[in-house]
PDB file of all heavy atoms in Angstrom:
ATOM      1  N   PRO A1356      96.384  95.987 -64.314  1.00  0.00           N
ATOM      2  CA  PRO A1356      96.250  94.625 -63.783  1.00  0.00           C
ATOM      3  C   PRO A1356      95.230  93.776 -64.535  1.00  0.00           C
ATOM      4  O   PRO A1356      95.413  92.565 -64.665  1.00  0.00           O
ATOM      5  CB  PRO A1356      95.834  94.842 -62.328  1.00  0.00           C
ATOM      6  CG  PRO A1356      95.235  96.204 -62.301  1.00  0.00           C
ATOM      7  CD  PRO A1356      95.973  96.996 -63.342  1.00  0.00           C
ATOM      8  N   GLN A1357      94.177  94.381 -65.047  1.00  0.00           N
ATOM      9  CA  GLN A1357      93.181  93.599 -65.784  1.00  0.00           C
ATOM     10  C   GLN A1357      93.781  93.057 -67.077  1.00  0.00           C
ATOM     11  O   GLN A1357      93.558  91.903 -67.435  1.00  0.00           O
ATOM     12  CB  GLN A1357      91.940  94.443 -66.063  1.00  0.00           C
ATOM     13  CG  GLN A1357      91.096  94.657 -64.811  1.00  0.00           C
ATOM     14  CD  GLN A1357      89.980  95.628 -65.047  1.00  0.00           C
ATOM     15  OE1 GLN A1357      90.170  96.825 -64.907  1.00  0.00           O
ATOM     16  NE2 GLN A1357      88.814  95.120 -65.401  1.00  0.00           N
ATOM     17  N   SER A1358      94.547  93.863 -67.758  1.00  0.00           N
ATOM     18  CA  SER A1358      95.207  93.420 -68.982  1.00  0.00           C
ATOM     19  C   SER A1358      96.182  92.282 -68.684  1.00  0.00           C
ATOM     20  O   SER A1358      96.243  91.300 -69.430  1.00  0.00           O
ATOM     21  CB  SER A1358      95.944  94.591 -69.630  1.00  0.00           C
ATOM     22  OG  SER A1358      96.636  94.169 -70.771  1.00  0.00           O
ATOM     23  N   ALA A1359      96.924  92.403 -67.601  1.00  0.00           N
ATOM     24  CA  ALA A1359      97.868  91.349 -67.217  1.00  0.00           C
ATOM     25  C   ALA A1359      97.127  90.050 -66.901  1.00  0.00           C
ATOM     26  O   ALA A1359      97.568  88.958 -67.285  1.00  0.00           O
ATOM     27  CB  ALA A1359      98.700  91.799 -66.026  1.00  0.00           C
ATOM     28  N   ALA A1360      95.988  90.159 -66.202  1.00  0.00           N
ATOM     29  CA  ALA A1360      95.195  88.970 -65.877  1.00  0.00           C
ATOM     30  C   ALA A1360      94.664  88.312 -67.149  1.00  0.00           C
ATOM     31  O   ALA A1360      94.718  87.085 -67.294  1.00  0.00           O
ATOM     32  CB  ALA A1360      94.049  89.341 -64.945  1.00  0.00           C
ATOM     33  N   ARG A1361      94.171  89.116 -68.076  1.00  0.00           N
ATOM     34  CA  ARG A1361      93.693  88.555 -69.338  1.00  0.00           C
ATOM     35  C   ARG A1361      94.825  87.831 -70.075  1.00  0.00           C
ATOM     36  O   ARG A1361      94.629  86.763 -70.655  1.00  0.00           O
ATOM     37  CB  ARG A1361      93.098  89.650 -70.225  1.00  0.00           C
ATOM     38  CG  ARG A1361      91.786  90.215 -69.712  1.00  0.00           C
ATOM     39  CD  ARG A1361      91.122  91.132 -70.714  1.00  0.00           C
ATOM     40  NE  ARG A1361      91.960  92.218 -71.190  1.00  0.00           N
ATOM     41  CZ  ARG A1361      92.015  93.447 -70.657  1.00  0.00           C
ATOM     42  NH1 ARG A1361      91.255  93.748 -69.604  1.00  0.00           N
ATOM     43  NH2 ARG A1361      92.789  94.372 -71.180  1.00  0.00           N
ATOM     44  N   GLY A1362      96.018  88.400 -70.017  1.00  0.00           N
ATOM     45  CA  GLY A1362      97.164  87.795 -70.702  1.00  0.00           C
ATOM     46  C   GLY A1362      97.543  86.441 -70.147  1.00  0.00           C
ATOM     47  O   GLY A1362      97.811  85.506 -70.907  1.00  0.00           O
ATOM     48  N   ILE A1363      97.573  86.305 -68.828  1.00  0.00           N
ATOM     49  CA  ILE A1363      97.951  85.013 -68.250  1.00  0.00           C
ATOM     50  C   ILE A1363      96.876  83.970 -68.533  1.00  0.00           C
ATOM     51  O   ILE A1363      97.184  82.806 -68.792  1.00  0.00           O
ATOM     52  CB  ILE A1363      98.290  85.112 -66.745  1.00  0.00           C
ATOM     53  CG1 ILE A1363      99.029  83.850 -66.313  1.00  0.00           C
ATOM     54  CG2 ILE A1363      97.064  85.351 -65.904  1.00  0.00           C
ATOM     55  CD1 ILE A1363      99.644  83.928 -64.943  1.00  0.00           C
ATOM     56  N   VAL A1364      95.610  84.372 -68.519  1.00  0.00           N
ATOM     57  CA  VAL A1364      94.539  83.428 -68.841  1.00  0.00           C
ATOM     58  C   VAL A1364      94.691  82.946 -70.285  1.00  0.00           C
ATOM     59  O   VAL A1364      94.620  81.740 -70.558  1.00  0.00           O
ATOM     60  CB  VAL A1364      93.153  84.059 -68.608  1.00  0.00           C
ATOM     61  CG1 VAL A1364      92.045  83.172 -69.179  1.00  0.00           C
ATOM     62  CG2 VAL A1364      92.916  84.307 -67.123  1.00  0.00           C
ATOM     63  N   ARG A1365      94.913  83.867 -71.189  1.00  0.00           N
ATOM     64  CA  ARG A1365      95.076  83.467 -72.599  1.00  0.00           C
ATOM     65  C   ARG A1365      96.273  82.533 -72.781  1.00  0.00           C
ATOM     66  O   ARG A1365      96.205  81.569 -73.550  1.00  0.00           O
ATOM     67  CB  ARG A1365      95.228  84.702 -73.476  1.00  0.00           C
ATOM     68  CG  ARG A1365      93.928  85.434 -73.682  1.00  0.00           C
ATOM     69  CD  ARG A1365      94.081  86.575 -74.678  1.00  0.00           C
ATOM     70  NE  ARG A1365      92.844  87.309 -74.782  1.00  0.00           N
ATOM     71  CZ  ARG A1365      92.668  88.542 -74.311  1.00  0.00           C
ATOM     72  NH1 ARG A1365      93.670  89.189 -73.720  1.00  0.00           N
ATOM     73  NH2 ARG A1365      91.513  89.138 -74.436  1.00  0.00           N
ATOM     74  N   ARG A1366      97.352  82.826 -72.083  1.00  0.00           N
ATOM     75  CA  ARG A1366      98.556  81.997 -72.209  1.00  0.00           C
ATOM     76  C   ARG A1366      98.296  80.575 -71.715  1.00  0.00           C
ATOM     77  O   ARG A1366      98.657  79.602 -72.378  1.00  0.00           O
ATOM     78  CB  ARG A1366      99.705  82.629 -71.430  1.00  0.00           C
ATOM     79  CG  ARG A1366     100.968  81.817 -71.501  1.00  0.00           C
ATOM     80  CD  ARG A1366     102.096  82.514 -70.803  1.00  0.00           C
ATOM     81  NE  ARG A1366     103.222  81.617 -70.658  1.00  0.00           N
ATOM     82  CZ  ARG A1366     104.158  81.759 -69.760  1.00  0.00           C
ATOM     83  NH1 ARG A1366     104.128  82.779 -68.927  1.00  0.00           N
ATOM     84  NH2 ARG A1366     105.136  80.899 -69.676  1.00  0.00           N
ATOM     85  N   VAL A1367      97.678  80.448 -70.566  1.00  0.00           N
ATOM     86  CA  VAL A1367      97.444  79.122 -69.990  1.00  0.00           C
ATOM     87  C   VAL A1367      96.358  78.373 -70.751  1.00  0.00           C
ATOM     88  O   VAL A1367      96.466  77.170 -70.969  1.00  0.00           O
ATOM     89  CB  VAL A1367      97.083  79.243 -68.492  1.00  0.00           C
ATOM     90  CG1 VAL A1367      96.625  77.907 -67.923  1.00  0.00           C
ATOM     91  CG2 VAL A1367      98.280  79.768 -67.701  1.00  0.00           C
ATOM     92  N   LEU A1368      95.327  79.073 -71.185  1.00  0.00           N
ATOM     93  CA  LEU A1368      94.191  78.388 -71.800  1.00  0.00           C
ATOM     94  C   LEU A1368      94.357  78.128 -73.285  1.00  0.00           C
ATOM     95  O   LEU A1368      93.397  77.724 -73.944  1.00  0.00           O
ATOM     96  CB  LEU A1368      92.894  79.149 -71.528  1.00  0.00           C
ATOM     97  CG  LEU A1368      92.413  79.061 -70.083  1.00  0.00           C
ATOM     98  CD1 LEU A1368      91.069  79.727 -69.931  1.00  0.00           C
ATOM     99  CD2 LEU A1368      92.357  77.627 -69.594  1.00  0.00           C
ATOM    100  N   THR A1369      95.554  78.273 -73.814  1.00  0.00           N
ATOM    101  CA  THR A1369      95.774  77.828 -75.190  1.00  0.00           C
ATOM    102  C   THR A1369      95.510  76.328 -75.287  1.00  0.00           C
ATOM    103  O   THR A1369      95.187  75.818 -76.350  1.00  0.00           O
ATOM    104  CB  THR A1369      97.207  78.132 -75.673  1.00  0.00           C
ATOM    105  OG1 THR A1369      98.137  77.512 -74.786  1.00  0.00           O
ATOM    106  CG2 THR A1369      97.448  79.623 -75.754  1.00  0.00           C
ATOM    107  N   GLN A1370      95.612  75.626 -74.137  1.00  0.00           N
ATOM    108  CA  GLN A1370      95.332  74.191 -74.075  1.00  0.00           C
ATOM    109  C   GLN A1370      93.839  73.899 -73.964  1.00  0.00           C
ATOM    110  O   GLN A1370      93.424  72.748 -74.102  1.00  0.00           O
ATOM    111  CB  GLN A1370      96.037  73.576 -72.866  1.00  0.00           C
ATOM    112  CG  GLN A1370      97.538  73.760 -72.875  1.00  0.00           C
ATOM    113  CD  GLN A1370      98.124  73.309 -71.553  1.00  0.00           C
ATOM    114  OE1 GLN A1370      97.913  72.189 -71.130  1.00  0.00           O
ATOM    115  NE2 GLN A1370      98.853  74.191 -70.905  1.00  0.00           N
ATOM    116  N   ALA A1371      93.045  74.913 -73.657  1.00  0.00           N
ATOM    117  CA  ALA A1371      91.603  74.730 -73.462  1.00  0.00           C
ATOM    118  C   ALA A1371      90.844  75.896 -74.091  1.00  0.00           C
ATOM    119  O   ALA A1371      90.178  76.664 -73.402  1.00  0.00           O
ATOM    120  CB  ALA A1371      91.298  74.625 -71.974  1.00  0.00           C
ATOM    121  N   PRO A1372      90.930  76.054 -75.411  1.00  0.00           N
ATOM    122  CA  PRO A1372      90.353  77.236 -76.048  1.00  0.00           C
ATOM    123  C   PRO A1372      88.839  77.360 -75.899  1.00  0.00           C
ATOM    124  O   PRO A1372      88.309  78.469 -75.969  1.00  0.00           O
ATOM    125  CB  PRO A1372      90.754  77.081 -77.517  1.00  0.00           C
ATOM    126  CG  PRO A1372      91.056  75.641 -77.703  1.00  0.00           C
ATOM    127  CD  PRO A1372      91.562  75.145 -76.379  1.00  0.00           C
ATOM    128  N   GLU A1373      88.132  76.254 -75.663  1.00  0.00           N
ATOM    129  CA  GLU A1373      86.675  76.327 -75.526  1.00  0.00           C
ATOM    130  C   GLU A1373      86.236  77.117 -74.299  1.00  0.00           C
ATOM    131  O   GLU A1373      85.119  77.604 -74.242  1.00  0.00           O
ATOM    132  CB  GLU A1373      86.045  74.922 -75.517  1.00  0.00           C
ATOM    133  CG  GLU A1373      86.380  74.076 -74.310  1.00  0.00           C
ATOM    134  CD  GLU A1373      87.687  73.301 -74.430  1.00  0.00           C
ATOM    135  OE1 GLU A1373      88.528  73.607 -75.293  1.00  0.00           O
ATOM    136  OE2 GLU A1373      87.870  72.379 -73.629  1.00  0.00           O
ATOM    137  N   LEU A1374      87.111  77.280 -73.312  1.00  0.00           N
ATOM    138  CA  LEU A1374      86.786  78.050 -72.115  1.00  0.00           C
ATOM    139  C   LEU A1374      87.368  79.460 -72.139  1.00  0.00           C
ATOM    140  O   LEU A1374      87.041  80.277 -71.280  1.00  0.00           O
ATOM    141  CB  LEU A1374      87.321  77.333 -70.867  1.00  0.00           C
ATOM    142  CG  LEU A1374      86.660  76.025 -70.491  1.00  0.00           C
ATOM    143  CD1 LEU A1374      87.343  75.419 -69.272  1.00  0.00           C
ATOM    144  CD2 LEU A1374      85.181  76.218 -70.229  1.00  0.00           C
ATOM    145  N   MET A1375      88.228  79.745 -73.081  1.00  0.00           N
ATOM    146  CA  MET A1375      89.033  80.964 -73.022  1.00  0.00           C
ATOM    147  C   MET A1375      88.209  82.242 -72.885  1.00  0.00           C
ATOM    148  O   MET A1375      88.466  83.045 -71.996  1.00  0.00           O
ATOM    149  CB  MET A1375      89.963  81.081 -74.220  1.00  0.00           C
ATOM    150  CG  MET A1375      90.882  82.276 -74.037  1.00  0.00           C
ATOM    151  SD  MET A1375      92.336  82.382 -75.044  1.00  0.00           S
ATOM    152  CE  MET A1375      92.968  80.777 -75.199  1.00  0.00           C
ATOM    153  N   ASP A1376      87.227  82.466 -73.741  1.00  0.00           N
ATOM    154  CA  ASP A1376      86.487  83.723 -73.702  1.00  0.00           C
ATOM    155  C   ASP A1376      85.813  83.946 -72.349  1.00  0.00           C
ATOM    156  O   ASP A1376      85.885  85.042 -71.788  1.00  0.00           O
ATOM    157  CB  ASP A1376      85.447  83.772 -74.821  1.00  0.00           C
ATOM    158  CG  ASP A1376      86.068  83.869 -76.198  1.00  0.00           C
ATOM    159  OD1 ASP A1376      87.253  84.256 -76.306  1.00  0.00           O
ATOM    160  OD2 ASP A1376      85.366  83.552 -77.178  1.00  0.00           O
ATOM    161  N   ASP A1377      85.159  82.916 -71.829  1.00  0.00           N
ATOM    162  CA  ASP A1377      84.465  83.054 -70.548  1.00  0.00           C
ATOM    163  C   ASP A1377      85.443  83.295 -69.403  1.00  0.00           C
ATOM    164  O   ASP A1377      85.213  84.158 -68.547  1.00  0.00           O
ATOM    165  CB  ASP A1377      83.623  81.813 -70.247  1.00  0.00           C
ATOM    166  CG  ASP A1377      82.408  81.688 -71.157  1.00  0.00           C
ATOM    167  OD1 ASP A1377      82.103  82.641 -71.909  1.00  0.00           O
ATOM    168  OD2 ASP A1377      81.762  80.622 -71.115  1.00  0.00           O
ATOM    169  N   VAL A1378      86.543  82.559 -69.363  1.00  0.00           N
ATOM    170  CA  VAL A1378      87.504  82.714 -68.270  1.00  0.00           C
ATOM    171  C   VAL A1378      88.212  84.068 -68.359  1.00  0.00           C
ATOM    172  O   VAL A1378      88.435  84.726 -67.346  1.00  0.00           O
ATOM    173  CB  VAL A1378      88.513  81.549 -68.232  1.00  0.00           C
ATOM    174  CG1 VAL A1378      89.517  81.731 -67.097  1.00  0.00           C
ATOM    175  CG2 VAL A1378      87.782  80.217 -68.059  1.00  0.00           C
ATOM    176  N   VAL A1379      88.536  84.512 -69.559  1.00  0.00           N
ATOM    177  CA  VAL A1379      89.147  85.837 -69.736  1.00  0.00           C
ATOM    178  C   VAL A1379      88.210  86.915 -69.195  1.00  0.00           C
ATOM    179  O   VAL A1379      88.625  87.804 -68.449  1.00  0.00           O
ATOM    180  CB  VAL A1379      89.509  86.102 -71.220  1.00  0.00           C
ATOM    181  CG1 VAL A1379      89.813  87.574 -71.460  1.00  0.00           C
ATOM    182  CG2 VAL A1379      90.695  85.256 -71.642  1.00  0.00           C
ATOM    183  N   LEU A1380      86.940  86.853 -69.561  1.00  0.00           N
ATOM    184  CA  LEU A1380      85.978  87.853 -69.100  1.00  0.00           C
ATOM    185  C   LEU A1380      85.813  87.819 -67.590  1.00  0.00           C
ATOM    186  O   LEU A1380      85.814  88.869 -66.928  1.00  0.00           O
ATOM    187  CB  LEU A1380      84.627  87.649 -69.792  1.00  0.00           C
ATOM    188  CG  LEU A1380      83.528  88.637 -69.419  1.00  0.00           C
ATOM    189  CD1 LEU A1380      83.962  90.076 -69.653  1.00  0.00           C
ATOM    190  CD2 LEU A1380      82.261  88.314 -70.193  1.00  0.00           C
ATOM    191  N   VAL A1381      85.708  86.636 -67.024  1.00  0.00           N
ATOM    192  CA  VAL A1381      85.539  86.530 -65.572  1.00  0.00           C
ATOM    193  C   VAL A1381      86.781  87.024 -64.838  1.00  0.00           C
ATOM    194  O   VAL A1381      86.677  87.772 -63.861  1.00  0.00           O
ATOM    195  CB  VAL A1381      85.164  85.088 -65.169  1.00  0.00           C
ATOM    196  CG1 VAL A1381      85.321  84.868 -63.670  1.00  0.00           C
ATOM    197  CG2 VAL A1381      83.733  84.791 -65.609  1.00  0.00           C
ATOM    198  N   ALA A1382      87.968  86.651 -65.284  1.00  0.00           N
ATOM    199  CA  ALA A1382      89.194  87.145 -64.645  1.00  0.00           C
ATOM    200  C   ALA A1382      89.258  88.667 -64.703  1.00  0.00           C
ATOM    201  O   ALA A1382      89.588  89.329 -63.713  1.00  0.00           O
ATOM    202  CB  ALA A1382      90.424  86.529 -65.311  1.00  0.00           C
ATOM    203  N   ASP A1383      88.915  89.233 -65.858  1.00  0.00           N
ATOM    204  CA  ASP A1383      88.890  90.680 -66.020  1.00  0.00           C
ATOM    205  C   ASP A1383      87.919  91.327 -65.026  1.00  0.00           C
ATOM    206  O   ASP A1383      88.252  92.317 -64.365  1.00  0.00           O
ATOM    207  CB  ASP A1383      88.504  91.021 -67.462  1.00  0.00           C
ATOM    208  CG  ASP A1383      88.501  92.502 -67.723  1.00  0.00           C
ATOM    209  OD1 ASP A1383      89.573  93.043 -68.056  1.00  0.00           O
ATOM    210  OD2 ASP A1383      87.425  93.138 -67.598  1.00  0.00           O
ATOM    211  N   GLU A1384      86.730  90.767 -64.914  1.00  0.00           N
ATOM    212  CA  GLU A1384      85.727  91.313 -63.997  1.00  0.00           C
ATOM    213  C   GLU A1384      86.158  91.200 -62.541  1.00  0.00           C
ATOM    214  O   GLU A1384      85.986  92.133 -61.759  1.00  0.00           O
ATOM    215  CB  GLU A1384      84.374  90.611 -64.193  1.00  0.00           C
ATOM    216  CG  GLU A1384      83.697  90.920 -65.495  1.00  0.00           C
ATOM    217  CD  GLU A1384      83.265  92.373 -65.636  1.00  0.00           C
ATOM    218  OE1 GLU A1384      83.152  93.087 -64.622  1.00  0.00           O
ATOM    219  OE2 GLU A1384      83.036  92.800 -66.775  1.00  0.00           O
ATOM    220  N   LEU A1385      86.727  90.061 -62.162  1.00  0.00           N
ATOM    221  CA  LEU A1385      87.149  89.879 -60.771  1.00  0.00           C
ATOM    222  C   LEU A1385      88.283  90.824 -60.403  1.00  0.00           C
ATOM    223  O   LEU A1385      88.302  91.389 -59.306  1.00  0.00           O
ATOM    224  CB  LEU A1385      87.542  88.426 -60.520  1.00  0.00           C
ATOM    225  CG  LEU A1385      86.415  87.396 -60.624  1.00  0.00           C
ATOM    226  CD1 LEU A1385      86.949  85.994 -60.375  1.00  0.00           C
ATOM    227  CD2 LEU A1385      85.271  87.734 -59.686  1.00  0.00           C
ATOM    228  N   VAL A1386      89.236  91.000 -61.305  1.00  0.00           N
ATOM    229  CA  VAL A1386      90.331  91.949 -61.034  1.00  0.00           C
ATOM    230  C   VAL A1386      89.775  93.367 -60.972  1.00  0.00           C
ATOM    231  O   VAL A1386      90.128  94.140 -60.080  1.00  0.00           O
ATOM    232  CB  VAL A1386      91.456  91.816 -62.082  1.00  0.00           C
ATOM    233  CG1 VAL A1386      92.479  92.944 -61.934  1.00  0.00           C
ATOM    234  CG2 VAL A1386      92.138  90.458 -61.952  1.00  0.00           C
ATOM    235  N   GLY A1387      88.890  93.714 -61.895  1.00  0.00           N
ATOM    236  CA  GLY A1387      88.272  95.043 -61.870  1.00  0.00           C
ATOM    237  C   GLY A1387      87.520  95.302 -60.577  1.00  0.00           C
ATOM    238  O   GLY A1387      87.603  96.386 -59.994  1.00  0.00           O
ATOM    239  N   ASN A1388      86.775  94.304 -60.095  1.00  0.00           N
ATOM    240  CA  ASN A1388      86.066  94.441 -58.821  1.00  0.00           C
ATOM    241  C   ASN A1388      87.031  94.636 -57.664  1.00  0.00           C
ATOM    242  O   ASN A1388      86.785  95.449 -56.768  1.00  0.00           O
ATOM    243  CB  ASN A1388      85.183  93.226 -58.556  1.00  0.00           C
ATOM    244  CG  ASN A1388      83.903  93.253 -59.356  1.00  0.00           C
ATOM    245  OD1 ASN A1388      83.549  94.242 -59.967  1.00  0.00           O
ATOM    246  ND2 ASN A1388      83.211  92.118 -59.365  1.00  0.00           N
ATOM    247  N   ALA A1389      88.129  93.881 -57.663  1.00  0.00           N
ATOM    248  CA  ALA A1389      89.115  94.020 -56.580  1.00  0.00           C
ATOM    249  C   ALA A1389      89.712  95.423 -56.586  1.00  0.00           C
ATOM    250  O   ALA A1389      89.863  96.043 -55.523  1.00  0.00           O
ATOM    251  CB  ALA A1389      90.206  92.967 -56.721  1.00  0.00           C
ATOM    252  N   VAL A1390      90.037  95.936 -57.748  1.00  0.00           N
ATOM    253  CA  VAL A1390      90.601  97.287 -57.847  1.00  0.00           C
ATOM    254  C   VAL A1390      89.575  98.324 -57.385  1.00  0.00           C
ATOM    255  O   VAL A1390      89.889  99.220 -56.595  1.00  0.00           O
ATOM    256  CB  VAL A1390      91.081  97.576 -59.289  1.00  0.00           C
ATOM    257  CG1 VAL A1390      91.438  99.038 -59.474  1.00  0.00           C
ATOM    258  CG2 VAL A1390      92.270  96.678 -59.641  1.00  0.00           C
ATOM    259  N   THR A1391      88.343  98.189 -57.859  1.00  0.00           N
ATOM    260  CA  THR A1391      87.298  99.158 -57.527  1.00  0.00           C
ATOM    261  C   THR A1391      86.908  99.125 -56.063  1.00  0.00           C
ATOM    262  O   THR A1391      86.791 100.170 -55.421  1.00  0.00           O
ATOM    263  CB  THR A1391      86.044  98.906 -58.394  1.00  0.00           C
ATOM    264  OG1 THR A1391      86.410  99.059 -59.768  1.00  0.00           O
ATOM    265  CG2 THR A1391      84.917  99.864 -58.048  1.00  0.00           C
ATOM    266  N   HIS A1392      86.705  97.945 -55.506  1.00  0.00           N
ATOM    267  CA  HIS A1392      86.135  97.829 -54.164  1.00  0.00           C
ATOM    268  C   HIS A1392      87.161  97.617 -53.060  1.00  0.00           C
ATOM    269  O   HIS A1392      86.865  97.891 -51.896  1.00  0.00           O
ATOM    270  CB  HIS A1392      85.096  96.711 -54.136  1.00  0.00           C
ATOM    271  CG  HIS A1392      83.973  96.941 -55.085  1.00  0.00           C
ATOM    272  ND1 HIS A1392      83.031  97.937 -54.921  1.00  0.00           N
ATOM    273  CD2 HIS A1392      83.647  96.325 -56.252  1.00  0.00           C
ATOM    274  CE1 HIS A1392      82.180  97.922 -55.923  1.00  0.00           C
ATOM    275  NE2 HIS A1392      82.532  96.944 -56.757  1.00  0.00           N
ATOM    276  N   ALA A1393      88.350  97.130 -53.387  1.00  0.00           N
ATOM    277  CA  ALA A1393      89.373  96.889 -52.359  1.00  0.00           C
ATOM    278  C   ALA A1393      90.627  97.733 -52.594  1.00  0.00           C
ATOM    279  O   ALA A1393      91.562  97.658 -51.811  1.00  0.00           O
ATOM    280  CB  ALA A1393      89.742  95.405 -52.322  1.00  0.00           C
ATOM    281  N   GLY A1394      90.660  98.481 -53.679  1.00  0.00           N
ATOM    282  CA  GLY A1394      91.802  99.347 -53.958  1.00  0.00           C
ATOM    283  C   GLY A1394      92.891  98.711 -54.784  1.00  0.00           C
ATOM    284  O   GLY A1394      93.679  99.409 -55.415  1.00  0.00           O
ATOM    285  N   GLU A1395      92.934  97.378 -54.796  1.00  0.00           N
ATOM    286  CA  GLU A1395      93.981  96.689 -55.541  1.00  0.00           C
ATOM    287  C   GLU A1395      93.699  95.194 -55.557  1.00  0.00           C
ATOM    288  O   GLU A1395      93.219  94.630 -54.586  1.00  0.00           O
ATOM    289  CB  GLU A1395      95.333  96.938 -54.857  1.00  0.00           C
ATOM    290  CG  GLU A1395      96.510  96.274 -55.508  1.00  0.00           C
ATOM    291  CD  GLU A1395      97.828  96.585 -54.801  1.00  0.00           C
ATOM    292  OE1 GLU A1395      97.920  96.391 -53.571  1.00  0.00           O
ATOM    293  OE2 GLU A1395      98.750  97.013 -55.502  1.00  0.00           O
ATOM    294  N   ALA A1396      94.015  94.567 -56.677  1.00  0.00           N
ATOM    295  CA  ALA A1396      94.014  93.104 -56.755  1.00  0.00           C
ATOM    296  C   ALA A1396      95.432  92.662 -56.426  1.00  0.00           C
ATOM    297  O   ALA A1396      96.394  93.209 -56.966  1.00  0.00           O
ATOM    298  CB  ALA A1396      93.609  92.634 -58.140  1.00  0.00           C
TER     299      ALA A1396
END
């Protein structure tokens, strides 16, 4: 799921590349937290 989340962020943010790295990292972290602490995102 983290890889999938990173992929959708990259796809959408091709229009806003200045935010891409930060948003990719945050999406990855949030999905990872959901998997770790809630069992699933």
